Amino acid sequence: MEISKKQKAQIITEFGLNVKLQEIDVPEPKSDQVLVNILYTGVCHTDICFMENALSTKKMSLPMVAGHEGAGKVVAVGKDVKNFKIGDKVGVKIINRICGYCENCHTSGRDNNCENQEELITNKFGTFQQYITIAEGEAVKLPENVDLKKAAPLMCAGITVYKGLKETNCQSGEIVAISGASGGLGSFAIQFAKNAGLEVIAIDLGDEKGQHCKDLGADHYLDASKPDLIKRVQEVSNGRGPHGVLVVANAIKAFEDALEYIRNYGVVVAIGVPNQNEFKADLMNIIGRHLTIKGTTLGNRQDFKEGVALLAKGKIDIPVEVRGLSELPEIIQRINNGQIKGRVVLDTSK
């Protein structure tokens, strides 16, 4: 297959959101890597945090190409690659390589927290470009029937909330609240939760987002901008509150509210990345009501297999808005203004 020597990428050369569409070299795969033509990439609020250097746990460098959820096709393979061939459909996640020998790599289910992992954006250019190299072990093989437009946001938004729902420990028939339910992560979370047999309380800002959440299967929708949210959540959950809460909203107040309306012995899982990292909580509320607070990012290899299988079987169908890679600046502005429902996916050819 003839591969171009040059490609288009959205680049920043100083921290901030002033992205420029530029021409850069197409990378060559190492012996254990595949070269993927990224056809679609999702746009996540965390990309904005990367570009603004707002993540306290990450060391950023410039120039930067953000983007960390992509999908495309293999166009070249290294000489030692055994499980991929040219033409295979592939998902691109933020983890580009793991070491295989650290404590987390050797602990079942923790490979997504490899202590020496190579990540997109922090260690190499991300998915806001047309080509990328991936270590064979971290490339996500996709079934032929999977729509790449839908698979791209699954690589971060989808698998992150899939893992997050597992961490709530909610069982079929129980109630889960999803705070920030109308965005990309929330849209996935509603569908995964319904597939797991859970009753879903969708929470977001504004009445207009309610129909979107109901269309995805939410049993209840509550507008968090209206008074008495804590009381209203408890009213629709038998007066006791949900068994678990998934906070994907990028606001500290959403997390603080969750600790108030969760029922006794409930689990609050933090996923959303706000600009402010500190929160206030009543310690006696947590102790006296036996509450659990968890944080989680992405998912392990098994989570990816399970999530991809659900997408391939048609169990989930994330609503996507397809725009061109050249339109990234406008999409960033809309994300900052809270104007996105579902997920925006960029066609890298446009």
Side-chain angles (χ1 to χ4, degrees):
M1 177 178 291
E2 186 174 346
I3 302 167
S4 172
K5 299 290 186 183
K6 297 289 184 178
Q7 61 164 326
K8 295 290 181 64
Q10 288 280 15
I11 297 180
I12 59 169
T13 54
E14 59 183 14
F15 293 120
L17 305 180
N18 187 26
V19 291
K20 300 289 186 183
L21 191 64
Q22 297 181 13
E23 191 172 71
I24 63 173
D25 292 335
V26 172
E28 293 187 9
K30 296 177 182 178
S31 62
D32 66 341
Q33 290 180 323
V34 295
L35 176 65
V36 176
N37 177 198
I38 301 171
L39 299 175
Y40 298 99
T41 175
V43 186
C44 180
H45 177 264
T46 308
D47 290 314
I48 295 173
C49 296
F50 276 116
M51 289 189 283
E52 293 183 327
N53 197 22
L55 298 174
S56 59
T57 59
K58 302 289 185 182
K59 185 177 181 180
M60 307 300 175
S61 60
L62 294 169
M64 177 191 294
V65 173
H68 59 279
E69 47 178 42
K73 293 185 177 182
V74 174
V75 293
V77 297
K79 64 181 180 61
D80 297 327
V81 171
K82 295 179 174 60
N83 296 311
F84 289 92
K85 65 182 185 302
I86 291 173
D88 282 348
K89 289 185 174 182
V90 172
V92 183
K93 56 184 178 177
I94 193 169
I95 300 172
N96 199 253
R97 181 186 295 276
I98 62 173
C99 71
Y101 57 79
C102 71
E103 180 179 349
N104 284 336
C105 282
H106 280 286
T107 302
S108 178
R110 294 186 184 175
D111 52 85
N112 55 312
N113 281 305
C114 168
E115 297 168 13
N116 306 295
Q117 68 187 26
E118 181 181 272
E119 288 187 348
L120 302 188
I121 309 175
T122 53
N123 301 120
K124 63 186 296 182
F125 285 174
T127 58
F128 294 159
Q129 59 179 330
Q130 295 173 313
Y131 291 89
I132 197 167
T133 54
I134 315 169
E136 178 182 18
E138 297 313 307
V140 181
K141 184 168 283 190
L142 300 173
E144 191 57 36
N145 71 315
V146 164
D147 184 343
L148 293 178
K149 294 188 295 294
K150 310 280 185 170
L154 182 71
M155 295 299 107
C156 174
I159 299 303
T160 295
V161 295
Y162 181 72
K163 179 69 169 181
L165 285 166
K166 286 184 175 183
E167 294 292 332
T168 66
N169 298 327
C170 286
Q171 304 298 311
S172 180
E174 293 185 334
I175 306 169
V176 66
I178 301 169
S179 183
S182 74
L185 282 85
S187 296
F188 269 117
I190 291 170
Q191 295 178 81
F192 281 132
K194 294 308 296 180
N195 269 285
L198 302 177
E199 182 178 341
V200 175
I201 303 171
I203 303 170
D204 216 312
L205 297 171
D207 283 333
E208 71 280 0
K209 297 175 181 177
Q211 191 58 53
H212 170 81
C213 294
K214 290 287 188 69
D215 289 345
L216 292 175
D219 299 282
H220 314 276
Y221 176 78
L222 299 177
D223 181 355
S225 68
K226 294 180 178 179
D228 301 319
L229 175 66
I230 293 165
K231 179 182 178 181
R232 288 184 288 127
V233 172
Q234 292 174 337
E235 284 176 349
V236 298
S237 51
N238 306 318
R240 302 181 65 188
H243 299 83
V245 182
L246 202 62
V247 183
V248 298
N250 59 333
I252 286 295
K253 191 176 188 310
F255 185 73
E256 293 174 343
D257 285 348
L259 292 170
E260 297 299 320
Y261 60 66
I262 187 82
R263 73 171 56 197
N264 292 354
Y265 295 91
V267 180
V268 177
V269 178
I271 290 177
V273 180
N275 292 328
Q276 173 192 349
N277 294 326
E278 297 178 354
F279 68 94
K280 293 181 180 179
D282 183 338
L283 187 58
M284 289 309 300
N285 176 52
I286 296 170
I287 295 171
R289 300 208 295 124
H290 301 265
L291 304 183
T292 300
I293 301 171
K294 293 182 177 180
T296 184
T297 58
L298 208 57
N300 58 38
R301 289 175 173 179
Q302 183 60 34
D303 295 322
F304 272 92
K305 288 180 181 179
E306 294 169 4
V308 167
L310 287 170
L311 180 65
K313 292 176 182 177
K315 298 294 185 181
I316 54 172
D317 183 23
I318 180 73
V320 297
E321 174 188 346
V322 180
R323 303 293 292 270
L325 180 63
S326 62
E327 299 175 89
L328 178 60
E330 175 197 339
I331 302 307
I332 289 173
Q333 189 62 47
R334 287 176 56 199
I335 290 174
N336 269 339
N337 293 338
Q339 297 172 330
I340 303 292
K341 287 184 285 189
R343 201 63 155 184
V344 171
V345 171
L346 305 180
D347 181 338
T348 65
S349 69
K350 298 179 180 178

